[in-house]
Amino acid sequence: MEGMEKEILFSRDAINQRITELAADISRDYAGKELVVVGVLKGAFIFMADLIRRLQTPCVIDFARLASYGAGSTSSGQIVITKDIEMEIRDRDVLIVEDIVDTGLTLSYLVQAFKERGPRSLKVCAFMDKRLRRKVVFEADYVGFTIDDGFVVGYGLDFNEKARFFPDVYIVTNL
Ligand code: 5GP
């Protein structure tokens, strides 16, 4: 992180406001149902914590972790589940909560893997969507913020494991 130059992209206030809107949308869509919210580690943990505390509908939570082969900050295409959820999702309403949809490879893989377990419904909520970077067709059902490109940190998102603890989201300007 030494030498990382950054500019604020989304302030904690803007994030708060947007999450309140997202939680209202999700609560309306799942009224009367109990959600299984699956957070994708590590990046989504703060977003998920804020989101579920604003839901008006009950939920249970679990976590998954995936890895993509290849070094650096971009996916190379080979995805594996390194930590699976512990809950049974057959006939449940499942909402995957992810930090960023970038190439779309990670979420395409996870959605396919979960579909094979027979959930009643399966949707994805992404904190951020980098629409221009897709390598596969993938649409999240709920999106917090859309950006074109650039590398972002803070609010759970890391740069070599650092910067996750920043309360605001920054764009790194000297990568
Ligand atoms: P993809 O959609 O390419 O399979 O992978 C998305 C994952 O790459 C995200 O879950 C996130 O962990 C990581 N990622 C993509 N873009 C960024 C970014 O701008 N900042 C950070 N910190 N991680 C990113």
Side-chain angles (χ1 to χ4, degrees):
M1 204 162 57
E2 277 72 40
M4 181 174 75
E5 289 168 23
K6 59 190 193 325
E7 282 169 12
I8 198 154
L9 186 62
F10 302 118
S11 70
R12 63 198 80 183
D13 290 346
I15 294 168
N16 260 327
Q17 195 182 327
R18 185 69 190 110
I19 291 178
T20 300
E21 293 167 0
L22 279 177
D25 290 347
I26 295 167
S27 302
R28 184 198 58 228
D29 294 351
Y30 290 94
K33 294 177 176 161
E34 184 188 63
L35 263 177
V36 179
V37 179
V38 176
V40 182
L41 294 170
K42 298 177 187 175
F45 83 110
I46 294 178
F47 173 50
M48 175 169 163
D50 283 347
L51 183 71
I52 63 169
R53 282 180 290 177
R54 288 184 181 73
L55 291 179
Q56 304 290 314
T57 184
C59 68
V60 296
I61 63 158
D62 206 340
F63 293 97
R65 186 152 199 217
L66 294 96
S68 68
Y69 286 117
S73 54
T74 52
S75 308
S76 60
Q78 264 287 13
I79 315 282
V80 286
I81 295 177
T82 55
K83 186 231 171 291
D84 205 344
I85 53 171
E86 289 156 23
M87 273 175 199
E88 174 67 51
I89 57 170
R90 179 167 302 281
D91 297 329
R92 305 294 305 264
D93 294 299
V94 179
L95 180 68
I96 297 173
V97 175
E98 171 66 306
D99 56 359
I100 300 181
V101 195
D102 188 24
T103 62
L105 291 165
T106 306
L107 278 170
S108 301
Y109 179 89
L110 189 60
V111 163
Q112 193 47 47
F114 278 10
K115 270 188 182 160
E116 288 168 13
R117 301 178 192 183
R120 179 163 51 215
S121 70
L122 180 59
K123 285 190 181 181
V124 172
C125 175
F127 177 60
M128 237 182 257
D129 189 352
K130 291 190 192 173
R131 301 191 61 83
L132 300 183
R133 299 208 3 116
R134 286 294 194 287
K135 288 186 182 161
V136 290
V137 177
F138 185 86
E139 287 285 333
D141 301 279
Y142 307 95
V143 172
F145 297 97
T146 301
I147 62 171
D148 285 347
D149 204 352
F151 194 79
V152 290
V153 298
Y155 196 69
L157 302 163
D158 76 314
F159 180 61
N160 293 337
E161 286 306 321
K162 303 190 191 299
R164 290 195 201 275
F165 63 94
F166 297 157
D168 309 283
V169 170
Y170 294 84
I171 191 142
V172 179
T173 53
N174 65 338
L175 271 185

